[in-house]
């Protein structure tokens, strides 16, 4: 139906007759001549319909926005001075010989031929129209380039692209599973995979050696801008490697991706930072190194002060008091400080103490703060010295459980960096390493795996599993870019005895382990090689590389933040017949009519 894409018609075709097809992007009537901008996935071409060609001109008069057209015409140079340098086809125009309407269109729910702010719900409800917009088309094209480049790299390195099951078994750890009832096994359920973790480990047992997969994963969890109930990851596993070799390989892959797709060079090598250092300096295990602000530990200075808000957490082994110096922050108004106080409250902080440094040379008299009366001169001087505070600065304080302080001040650090235009331009990747194996949950009074229960502990820390699990470090590693976790992975446990020991540490009895993971424990007994892997969030990677605010902008058909599909109205009710066939009876929801 066409000889060329619209965007591919250029000056090399001058004098030739071509056929193009696409959507009517814009129509303009100028002095009896009709101009049509025809659009397809490759771009726009300007079509000129002259009244001398009565048949094509009559059809051109009928076309409206988003009509589907097929146009045959001669390629000619545009008149001097009318070239459009923003278009690939901007030096030519197509003189229509034949215009055919292949399909008409109702008026779109939002304009595609102008930059207009459109409610996201409307865009998602009519996603097939939203995706026609050049900026959305370009993002999906870019995502395709990313995937192709990653595949080419891994293929060249000897990795095998192997599919793993979508219908699998529910797991007791991690986020909630999406469950799928089985018709043939009444009363039993499949689960959609949160990741192919166990299957890729089994592939290593099977001797596949190097595996990868661009795979769909599912997690029934609360959503954010960078989370979806179903998402895509690049899943990788390899045998007979140590973490250094694997990390170097993955780092090279990401450098290769940025060089080939964005034509930008990332540093070599990526810096390394321990989890403990990242939390101490940035309050986050995925620090954005483009922001120069850092947390400063002041717990030791606050232990003896006559102010329980500070001395309490400072004396608690699980507490922390940290300071955050904001250069030039003295100019923040009281309202702005109150707004930041409300902001950290989202993360559990009960307040946000501060000191304004009006004149560093005037000592205490040059400071302004409601907490100064609680702090001795030597403590104030030590705080100023340790934080490096100067005239015109402001120092914020967080005092609470370490987890709350880290989360609150870590988030405040990022917000301040953006609000005060402190974010450096460019890409700042790093590896975060030496994660704890476990984290303690006060509510359930038990240990949980910080990554997942198949992560191997450091060899020198294996003895701590039973004696001091809080000090046990893992062989895990996360790749972080500009404050976003691109991918996380670890070396895996490859011996049955060690895997059983970790299960017991997590409160998983031998009986439960046999029921849930018996196939894995059995496989480990048959010569499982040392192995490790990593999974990259493909949606997040595309979001970062395209400069999008949300992963929804780089997914063809995303869900909303309530995990609903506005396009198809999913999830939806199913018939009583379907439920009966699955032997399922629905409970009445609270408030439902009897």
């Amino acid at each position: 139906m066409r000889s060329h894409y619209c965007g591919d018609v250029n000056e090399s075709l001058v004098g030739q007759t071509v056929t193009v097809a696409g959507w009517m992007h814009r129509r303009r009537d100028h002095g009896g001549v009709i101009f049509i901008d025809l659009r397809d996935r490759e771009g726009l071409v300007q079509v000129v319909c002259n009244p001398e060609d009565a048949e094509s001109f009559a059809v051109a008069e009928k076309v409206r926005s988003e009509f589907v057209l097929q146009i045959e015409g001669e390629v000619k140079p545009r008149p001097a001075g009318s070239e459009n340098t923003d278009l690939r086809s901007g030096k030519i125009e197509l003189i229509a010989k034949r215009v055919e309407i292949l399909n008409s269109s109702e008026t779109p729910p939002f304009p595609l031929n102008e930059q207009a702010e459109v409610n996201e719900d409307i865009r998602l409800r009519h996603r097939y129209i939203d995706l026609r917009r050049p900026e959305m088309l370009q993002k999906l094209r870019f995502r395709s380039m990313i995937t192709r480049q990653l595949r080419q790299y891994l293929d060249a390195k000897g990795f095998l692209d192997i599919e793993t099951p979508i219908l699998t078994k529910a797991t007791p750890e991690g986020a909630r599973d999406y469950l799928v009832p089985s018709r043939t096994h009444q009363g039993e359920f499949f689960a959609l995979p949160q990741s192919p973790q166990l299957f890729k480990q089994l592939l290593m047992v099977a001797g596949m050696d190097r595996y990868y997969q661009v795979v769909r994963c599912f997690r029934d969890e609360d959503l954010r801008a960078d989370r979806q109930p179903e998402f895509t990851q690049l899943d990788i596993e390899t045998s007979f490697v140590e973490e250094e070799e694997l990390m170097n390989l993955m780092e090279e892959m990401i450098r290769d991706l940025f060089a080939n797709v964005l034509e930008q060079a990332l540093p070599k090598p990526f810096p390394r930072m321990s989890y403990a250092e990242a939390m101490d300096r940035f309050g986050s295990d995925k620090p954005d190194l483009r922001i120069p602000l850092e947390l400063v530990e002041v717990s030791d200075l606050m232990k003896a002060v006559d102010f329980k808000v500070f001395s309490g957490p400072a004396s608690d082994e699980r507490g922390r008091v940290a300071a955050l110096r904001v250069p030039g922050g003295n100019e923040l108004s009281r309202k702005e400080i109150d707004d930041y106080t409300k902001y950290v409250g989202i993360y559990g902080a009960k307040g946000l103490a501060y000191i304004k440094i009006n004149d560093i040379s005037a000592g205490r008299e040059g400071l302004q703060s409601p907490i100064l009366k609680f702090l001795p001169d030597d403590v104030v001087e030590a705080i100023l010295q340790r934080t490096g505070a100067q005239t015109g600065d402001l120092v914020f304080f967080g005092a609470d459980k370490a987890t709350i302080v880290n989360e609150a001040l870590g988030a405040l650090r990022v917000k301040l960096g953006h609000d005060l235009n402190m974010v450096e331009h460019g890409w700042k990747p790093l590896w975060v390493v030496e994660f704890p194996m476990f984290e303690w949950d006060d509510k359930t009074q038990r240990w949980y795996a910080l990554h997942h229960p198949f992560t191997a502990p450091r060899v020198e820390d294996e003895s701590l599993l039973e004696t001091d699990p809080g000090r046990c470090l893992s062989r895990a590693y996360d790749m972080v870019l500009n404050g976003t976790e691109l991918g996380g992975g670890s070396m895996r446990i490859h011996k049955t005895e060690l895997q059983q020991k970790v299960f017991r540490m997590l409160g998983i009895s031998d009986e439960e382990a046999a029921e849930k993971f018996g196939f894995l424990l059995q496989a480990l007994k048959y010569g499982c090689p040392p192995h490790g892997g990593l999974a990259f969030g493909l949606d997040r990677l595309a979001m970062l590389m395209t400069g999008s605010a949300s992963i929804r902008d780089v997914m063809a058909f995303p869900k909303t933040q309530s995990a609903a599909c506005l396009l198809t109205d999913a999830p939806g009710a199913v018939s009583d017949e379907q439920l009966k066939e699955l032997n399922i009876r629905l409970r009445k929801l609270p408030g439902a009519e009897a």
Side-chain angles (χ1 to χ4, degrees), residues 32 49 81-82 84 93 182 192 201 209 211 265 286 304 355 397 400 412 418 471 478 481 508 554 592:
C49 301
S82 65
N84 186 343
E93 58 191 11
S182 170
L192 301 181
Q201 288 191 240
D209 194 70
Y211 141 97
K286 44 182 178 291
I355 296 176
F397 296 89
D400 209 312
L412 178 63
H418 286 275
R471 288 180 50 223
D478 282 1
L481 181 65
I508 301 174
V554 294

Side-chain angles (χ1 to χ4, degrees), residues 382-444:
I383 290 171
L384 296 178
Q385 214 168 39
R386 187 172 294 181
T387 59
Q390 302 294 321
T391 298
D393 293 350
L394 178 146
V395 179
F396 282 121
F397 296 89
D400 209 312
K401 290 181 180 177
T403 52
I404 293 176
V405 171
N406 289 339
E407 197 169 356
L409 286 190
L412 178 63
R413 169 186 173 269
V414 173
K415 183 168 178 58
L416 285 166
H418 286 275
D419 288 352
L420 303 180
N421 296 315
M422 293 182 175
V423 183
E424 297 176 22
H425 179 72
W427 302 100
K428 295 279 188 176
L430 80 153
W431 286 103
V432 178
V433 298
E434 297 179 8
F435 284 85
M437 273 285 287
F438 311 106
E439 56 183 346
W440 178 258
D441 186 278
D442 287 326
K443 289 182 181 178
T444 58

Side-chain angles (χ1 to χ4, degrees), residues 22 32 48 51 99 111 161 175 187-188 257 266 287 315 352 413 465 474 487 530 553 576 580 593:
V48 181
V99 178
D161 183 357
E188 297 183 325
L257 173 68
L266 297 182
S315 302
L352 187 61
R413 169 186 173 269
L465 285 173
S474 71
D553 284 338
D576 291 339
K580 187 175 181 180
E593 294 183 6

Side-chain angles (χ1 to χ4, degrees), residues 251-280:
E251 187 177 310
E252 181 186 286
M253 180 180 73
I254 296 300
R255 269 197 303 270
D256 181 76
L257 173 68
F258 274 71
N260 284 284
V261 176
L262 285 182
E263 296 183 349
Q264 294 190 20
L266 297 182
K268 183 179 181 179
F270 291 179
R272 308 282 176 92
M273 184 180 296
S274 71
Y275 172 88
E277 181 183 353
M279 299 303 293
D280 187 55

Side-chain angles (χ1 to χ4, degrees), residues 278-290:
M279 299 303 293
D280 187 55
R281 293 173 57 192
F282 305 106
S284 170
D285 60 359
K286 44 182 178 291
D288 190 340
L289 300 185
R290 299 172 302 163

Side-chain angles (χ1 to χ4, degrees), residues 143 194 215-219 221 228-233 537 539 551 555:
R143 179 185 173 122
Q194 296 185 31
V215 60
R216 205 71 165 165
C217 301
F218 308 85
R219 292 180 187 173
E221 60 183 353
Q228 283 277 295
E230 53 179 320
F231 57 94
T232 304
Q233 67 184 36
D539 309 300
I551 61 173
M555 302 174 74

Side-chain angles (χ1 to χ4, degrees), residues 13-286:
L13 300 171
V14 168
Q16 296 185 31
T17 297
V18 300
T19 303
V20 292
W23 288 263
M24 203 283 284
H25 187 69
R26 183 182 288 109
R27 193 190 75 167
R28 306 179 302 282
D29 295 346
H30 286 176
V33 177
I34 295 177
F35 292 88
I36 292 175
D37 289 341
L38 195 68
R39 184 193 72 243
D40 61 19
R41 76 172 203 183
E42 297 301 323
L44 297 172
V45 65
Q46 178 173 283
V47 179
V48 181
C49 301
N50 290 306
E52 289 80 9
D53 191 328
E55 187 174 345
S56 64
F57 190 82
V59 177
E61 287 185 307
K62 298 177 185 177
V63 302
R64 297 291 181 268
S65 179
E66 297 307 300
F67 274 34
V68 185
L69 308 178
Q70 182 191 50
I71 299 176
E72 181 183 349
E74 182 182 352
V75 181
K76 288 192 174 183
R78 289 200 189 192
S82 65
E83 298 90 346
N84 186 343
T85 56
D86 293 332
L87 296 179
R88 288 160 54 196
S89 62
K91 293 183 179 180
I92 58 89
E93 58 191 11
L94 192 61
I95 309 302
K97 294 181 179 180
R98 182 178 61 84
V99 178
E100 181 180 349
I101 297 175
L102 300 177
N103 207 346
S104 60
S105 172
E106 294 184 4
T107 302
F110 47 86
L112 280 77
N113 56 10
E114 59 184 63
Q115 291 292 333
E117 288 293 326
V118 182
N119 181 279
E120 187 181 39
D121 283 359
I122 296 175
R123 290 175 51 207
L124 294 180
R125 191 168 284 114
H126 302 274
R127 189 62 161 184
Y128 44 85
I129 296 176
D130 187 42
L131 292 178
R132 293 181 191 173
R133 295 190 300 127
E135 55 266 41
M136 290 301 299
L137 176 61
Q138 182 59 24
K139 286 178 180 180
L140 291 189
R141 185 198 300 276
F142 200 92
R143 179 185 173 122
S144 179
M145 291 170 57
I146 292 171
T147 306
R148 181 170 63 250
Q149 188 64 41
L150 292 171
R151 285 184 182 276
Q152 287 175 351
Y153 176 88
L154 292 169
D155 288 341
K157 295 293 183 180
F159 284 80
L160 303 179
D161 183 357
I162 304 175
E163 293 180 344
T164 54
I166 290 296
L167 294 176
T168 181
K169 196 170 186 177
T171 56
E173 297 288 325
R176 289 182 293 272
D177 289 313
Y178 279 102
L179 300 178
V180 180
S182 170
R183 180 184 59 81
T184 53
H185 299 273
Q186 290 286 329
E188 297 183 325
F189 295 80
F190 293 106
L192 301 181
Q194 296 185 31
S195 85
Q197 180 62 45
L198 298 182
F199 288 105
K200 67 180 182 179
Q201 288 191 240
L202 293 177
L203 288 171
M204 297 303 102
V205 180
M208 295 300 106
D209 194 70
R210 288 191 167 194
Y211 141 97
Y212 83 92
Q213 183 182 187
V214 177
V215 60
R216 205 71 165 165
C217 301
F218 308 85
R219 292 180 187 173
D220 187 5
E221 60 183 353
D222 296 332
L223 307 182
R224 295 196 299 268
D226 60 346
R227 295 279 177 91
Q228 283 277 295
E230 53 179 320
F231 57 94
T232 304
Q233 67 184 36
L234 174 64
D235 205 54
I236 297 167
E237 198 81 6
T238 184
S239 299
F240 301 108
V241 293
E242 298 289 348
E243 44 263 70
E244 281 300 318
E245 182 183 351
L246 180 54
M247 289 166 70
N248 289 337
L249 189 67
M250 296 298 96
E251 187 177 310
E252 181 186 286
M253 180 180 73
I254 296 300
R255 269 197 303 270
D256 181 76
L257 173 68
F258 274 71
N260 284 284
V261 176
L262 285 182
E263 296 183 349
Q264 294 190 20
L266 297 182
K268 183 179 181 179
F270 291 179
R272 308 282 176 92
M273 184 180 296
S274 71
Y275 172 88
E277 181 183 353
M279 299 303 293
D280 187 55
R281 293 173 57 192
F282 305 106
S284 170
D285 60 359
K286 44 182 178 291

